[in-house]
Amino acid sequence: IYADPAKRLELYFRPKDPYCHPVCANRFPTSTMLLRVKRRTKKKKQSDAEEQIQPEVQFEMEILGTVTTVYKFQGRMSDFQYLAMHSGPDGKQTSMYDKVLMLKPEKEEFFNRELPLYIPPPIFSRLDTPVDYFYRPDIQHRSGYNNPQVSGENLIGLSRARRPHNAIFVNFDDEEIPTKPLDAAVQTWKKVCTNPVDKKVEEELRKLFEVRPVWSRNAVKANISVHPDKLKLLLPYLAYYMLTGPWRSLWVRFGYDPRKHPEAKIYQVLDFRIRCGMKYGYAPNDMPVKAKRSTYNYSLPITVKKPVSHTVSVHDLKQGLGTSGASGAKKPPSSRYKLKESIYIFREGALPPYRQMFYQLCDLNVESLQKIIHRNDGAESECTERDGWCLPKTSDDLRDSMSLMIKQIIRSTRPALFSNTTSSEDGKEQLAYESGEDEDDEEEEEEEFKPSDGSENEMETEILDYV
């Protein structure tokens, strides 16, 4: 039995079997009583000649307490399993649990054994209730009818088609860059730009691209107040999207090619991730910056999620529910959708809002970091897909310096984590193990550069809005 008080209850017939699917129950609030009922039976003789014996039944009830939470098993699929078996040529079934399950650390010989092909299921059924598909009956056509040719227009998809936002994507290897938006992007924006607020936002974004030809979407959100749905339509109207290279996941003004301008190196993107682990002096749970997403925060599709009602306290009533109260106060329209500057600017002495951040080099507001960026000013010879206009390993040097700053901030807030830190001869802390070259299991490890791979990160999921 596995119980999560906030979500669900899982019952396993074989808890130690990873191929055994549980039966899930949803959590519901209730107000019932728990009773103890005793049934007592006494035999009673009758006075007639046959002396028939009839039992006398008595019930005793006792209230043990109240029940505030119940788990209901609403699923109709019983417990099932996937057997790790192999069928031999003689039809004999052989168990493979001891061959595929790693219950303890194994040596190299364990992985070099010759085993029959066995592919476990990647995931069990995510639903445990039957679903009615309501299939339509076959259509009876007249004689001589021929089915139309299959095309993309008459195929039934598995989900709703994405709304196209008409963005132009450019790879680092593409020779030409677009100078104007697609006609569909112009028509779409003109259709939704129906009020003075939208026109004002358009002018503000034009001015941003005049001052700086390359922007990230988070940086735009921190400088102008625009609804996210409107921004999805406005950005393809004024800029194109870089998929790969040093300006990947950034929006570039139409007609501007950063590969031809050495001064565009200050707009390159830096994928920075806060290093945490025991070899850095603090565990992930000790990190003041929490992860934005968690693998363990997963709920089954059958889990019932009800919105929590907001209870009004006496303090709220005294303060009032209007604009004067703290709870009812709303941001002015000029800054309603604006993000904080920390979402795209790195400052010394301040922690990033998330463990993984994407900064443009010009937004690293630290003098020592800017010296690293401008080491080859005036001597830029070639723009490469990995380093852009900067010197090789510039990103590694920036990450090392930023990691040292982050560690100093954590040291000042939680000195107990670094009580056993050793020091070098000159009194400075030994940080050789923080170099990217010594990492063997961190995400910043640079093994072999593969051109046109891009970066599988959160910002690049922005591309899904425009597919």
Side-chain angles (χ1 to χ4, degrees), residues 217-219 221-224 335 337-343:
R217 184 163 68 167
N218 282 342
K221 290 181 179 180
N223 283 272
I224 61 175
S335 60
Y337 303 107
K338 270 190 177 182
L339 301 179
K340 296 181 180 180
E341 283 189 348
S342 60
I343 200 67

Side-chain angles (χ1 to χ4, degrees), residues 35-42 55-63:
L35 301 179
R36 175 187 289 174
V37 181
K38 294 182 180 180
R39 182 177 183 270
R40 298 181 181 275
T41 304
K42 294 182 180 181
E56 180 180 354
V57 180
Q58 294 180 352
F59 291 94
E60 297 179 1
M61 291 184 295
E62 178 185 1
I63 300 177

Side-chain angles (χ1 to χ4, degrees), residues 272 275 398-407 434:
F272 175 70
R275 299 168 181 173
L398 291 174
R399 292 189 185 103
D400 291 340
S401 299
M402 296 168 67
S403 297
L404 178 58
M405 297 178 188
I406 297 298
K407 186 172 184 178
E434 287 202 17

Side-chain angles (χ1 to χ4, degrees), residues 201-215 220 238-239 251-254 256 267:
V201 170
E202 178 185 342
E203 293 300 322
E204 290 178 353
L205 188 55
R206 285 185 183 276
K207 292 180 181 179
L208 289 181
F209 278 109
E210 291 175 1
V211 176
R212 177 165 144 185
V214 184
W215 288 86
V220 172
L238 300 177
W251 291 90
V252 186
R253 184 183 65 204
F254 283 118
Y256 182 82
Y267 306 126

Side-chain angles (χ1 to χ4, degrees), residues 195-447:
N195 55 64
V197 177
D198 296 333
K199 296 181 180 179
K200 181 181 178 181
V201 170
E202 178 185 342
E203 293 300 322
E204 290 178 353
L205 188 55
R206 285 185 183 276
K207 292 180 181 179
L208 289 181
F209 278 109
E210 291 175 1
V211 176
R212 177 165 144 185
V214 184
W215 288 86
S216 67
R217 184 163 68 167
N218 282 342
V220 172
K221 290 181 179 180
N223 283 272
I224 61 175
S225 177
V226 56
H227 193 279
D229 292 339
K230 291 288 184 70
L231 185 61
K232 290 180 183 179
L233 304 177
L234 180 57
L235 281 173
Y237 177 63
L238 300 177
Y240 63 91
Y241 189 85
M242 289 290 290
L243 287 174
T244 58
W247 296 277
R248 62 184 179 273
S249 72
L250 300 179
W251 291 90
V252 186
R253 184 183 65 204
F254 283 118
Y256 182 82
D257 191 351
R259 301 169 298 181
K260 299 181 180 179
H261 301 277
E263 62 273 11
K265 71 178 179 181
I266 62 175
Y267 306 126
Q268 295 177 194
V269 69
L270 175 68
D271 183 352
F272 175 70
R273 308 178 189 188
I274 299 180
R275 299 168 181 173
C276 56
M278 296 309 298
K279 67 178 181 179
Y280 299 119
Y282 46 88
N285 293 334
D286 299 324
M287 173 67 60
V289 182
K290 299 302 180 182
K292 188 175 183 181
R293 294 188 176 105
S294 175
T295 308
Y296 302 102
N297 233 357
Y298 174 77
S299 59
L300 294 174
I302 60 171
T303 304
V304 177
K305 295 183 178 179
K306 296 183 179 180
V308 180
S309 60
H310 175 68
T311 57
V312 182
S313 62
V314 178
H315 177 74
D316 296 333
L317 296 176
K318 290 182 179 180
Q319 293 293 332
L321 300 178
T323 56
S324 60
S327 61
K330 295 183 178 180
K331 292 184 178 181
S334 59
S335 60
R336 181 177 303 172
Y337 303 107
K338 270 190 177 182
L339 301 179
K340 296 181 180 180
E341 283 189 348
S342 60
I343 200 67
Y344 79 103
I345 295 180
F346 180 82
R347 302 183 187 275
E348 190 172 7
L351 286 173
Y354 305 116
R355 293 186 184 179
Q356 183 181 15
M357 297 294 298
F358 304 90
Y359 296 108
Q360 291 181 256
L361 301 187
C362 59
D363 295 326
L364 303 178
N365 288 1
V366 182
E367 184 178 356
S368 59
L369 299 180
Q370 291 298 322
K371 289 182 179 179
I372 298 175
I373 298 170
H374 295 281
R375 287 181 297 187
N376 64 332
D377 280 359
E380 299 91 344
S381 58
E382 182 185 4
C383 180
T384 62
E385 184 174 356
R386 175 172 182 170
D387 301 299
W389 293 105
C390 296
L391 291 175
K393 299 294 183 179
T394 297
S395 298
D396 297 336
D397 297 338
L398 291 174
R399 292 189 185 103
D400 291 340
S401 299
M402 296 168 67
S403 297
L404 178 58
M405 297 178 188
I406 297 298
K407 186 172 184 178
Q408 291 174 349
I409 298 174
I410 299 176
R411 171 189 290 276
S412 61
T413 56
R414 299 186 180 182
L417 299 177
F418 301 87
S419 58
N420 297 327
T421 305
T422 58
S423 301
S424 58
E425 295 178 357
D426 56 354
K428 292 186 179 180
E429 196 176 347
Q430 292 182 358
L431 295 173
Y433 57 83
E434 287 202 17
S435 173
E437 299 176 357
D438 297 334
E439 294 178 2
D440 54 353
D441 58 347
E442 288 295 316
E443 294 175 339
E444 291 84 10
E445 181 180 7
E446 301 289 347
E447 296 178 354

Side-chain angles (χ1 to χ4, degrees), residues 21-294:
H21 188 275
V23 178
C24 301
N26 294 319
R27 181 177 183 267
F28 293 92
T30 184
S31 56
T32 56
M33 293 182 296
L34 179 61
L35 301 179
R36 175 187 289 174
V37 181
K38 294 182 180 180
R39 182 177 183 270
R40 298 181 181 275
T41 304
K42 294 182 180 181
K43 294 184 178 181
K44 178 182 177 182
K45 291 185 178 181
Q46 290 186 351
S47 58
D48 55 357
E50 297 179 356
E51 294 185 356
Q52 296 180 354
I53 301 175
Q54 293 183 357
E56 180 180 354
V57 180
Q58 294 180 352
F59 291 94
E60 297 179 1
M61 291 184 295
E62 178 185 1
I63 300 177
L64 300 181
T66 59
V67 179
T68 59
T69 302
V70 295
Y71 289 89
K72 296 182 179 180
F73 291 87
Q74 298 173 321
R76 299 179 185 176
M77 293 178 64
S78 61
D79 180 26
F80 63 91
Q81 68 173 346
Y82 191 93
L83 297 177
M85 307 293 291
H86 174 68
S87 299
D90 55 350
K92 183 179 179 181
Q93 300 288 339
T94 305
S95 176
M96 297 182 62
Y97 279 94
D98 57 339
K99 300 179 177 60
V100 298
L101 294 181
M102 291 185 59
L103 303 179
K104 60 180 181 178
E106 299 289 351
K107 296 182 180 180
E108 185 178 359
E109 293 78 8
F110 178 83
F111 303 96
N112 294 333
R113 294 181 303 172
E114 291 292 337
L115 295 177
L117 180 61
Y118 170 71
I119 303 177
I123 190 173
F124 284 103
S125 175
R126 300 181 71 239
L127 301 174
D128 62 354
T129 54
V131 179
D132 293 330
Y133 287 97
F134 298 104
Y135 290 110
R136 298 177 183 176
D138 294 336
I139 300 177
Q140 301 296 330
H141 296 287
R142 297 179 180 177
S143 59
Y145 174 83
N146 295 323
N147 292 325
Q149 295 182 356
V150 178
S151 64
E153 298 179 355
N154 53 22
L155 286 179
I156 300 177
L158 298 178
S159 60
R160 178 184 61 82
R162 289 186 177 272
R163 299 183 180 91
H165 294 109
N166 307 301
I168 301 178
F169 302 109
V170 176
N171 290 294
F172 183 82
D173 297 331
D174 295 343
E175 296 181 359
E176 301 294 333
I177 54 103
T179 58
K180 61 179 182 178
L182 298 176
D183 294 338
V186 177
Q187 297 175 2
T188 303
W189 174 247
K190 295 299 182 183
K191 185 182 300 183
V192 300
C193 182
T194 56
N195 55 64
V197 177
D198 296 333
K199 296 181 180 179
K200 181 181 178 181
V201 170
E202 178 185 342
E203 293 300 322
E204 290 178 353
L205 188 55
R206 285 185 183 276
K207 292 180 181 179
L208 289 181
F209 278 109
E210 291 175 1
V211 176
R212 177 165 144 185
V214 184
W215 288 86
S216 67
R217 184 163 68 167
N218 282 342
V220 172
K221 290 181 179 180
N223 283 272
I224 61 175
S225 177
V226 56
H227 193 279
D229 292 339
K230 291 288 184 70
L231 185 61
K232 290 180 183 179
L233 304 177
L234 180 57
L235 281 173
Y237 177 63
L238 300 177
Y240 63 91
Y241 189 85
M242 289 290 290
L243 287 174
T244 58
W247 296 277
R248 62 184 179 273
S249 72
L250 300 179
W251 291 90
V252 186
R253 184 183 65 204
F254 283 118
Y256 182 82
D257 191 351
R259 301 169 298 181
K260 299 181 180 179
H261 301 277
E263 62 273 11
K265 71 178 179 181
I266 62 175
Y267 306 126
Q268 295 177 194
V269 69
L270 175 68
D271 183 352
F272 175 70
R273 308 178 189 188
I274 299 180
R275 299 168 181 173
C276 56
M278 296 309 298
K279 67 178 181 179
Y280 299 119
Y282 46 88
N285 293 334
D286 299 324
M287 173 67 60
V289 182
K290 299 302 180 182
K292 188 175 183 181
R293 294 188 176 105
S294 175

